[in-house]
Amino acid sequence: MTLEKDDIDPKLLEILVCPLTKSTLRYDRANQELISDDAGLAFPIRDGVPIMLVDEARRLDAQE
């Protein structure tokens, strides 16, 4: 499997969890975010590095 420039390593995604709820995360490739559906937060990925800080996360609205 070849990773595109903006892809996150699947092995990394397997071990990362939401820092608030400890639930699994969903990768949103288009927005370069890791989504915690349980917490309603989207954690940004900057330069290929997930920023797993609640203070840096974007709150999801009801439609997301």
Side-chain angles (χ1 to χ4, degrees):
M1 176 181 171
T2 305
L3 293 179
E4 296 293 322
K5 178 181 174 245
D6 293 332
D7 280 348
I8 190 165
D9 186 335
K11 291 178 185 173
L12 180 61
L13 189 53
E14 285 178 19
I15 61 173
L16 287 177
V17 295
C18 174
L20 193 60
T21 66
K22 308 300 184 229
S23 61
T24 58
L25 299 167
R26 178 170 51 88
Y27 177 45
D28 180 349
R29 184 179 185 187
N31 292 318
Q32 286 298 289
E33 294 176 323
L34 294 176
I35 308 296
S36 172
D37 292 311
D38 289 350
L41 296 172
F43 297 92
I45 301 171
R46 296 187 188 127
D47 297 322
V49 178
I51 309 300
M52 303 305 298
L53 301 171
V54 174
D55 290 344
E56 293 288 321
R58 176 177 66 84
R59 184 147 309 276
L60 299 174
D61 61 29
Q63 293 137 1
E64 289 184 85

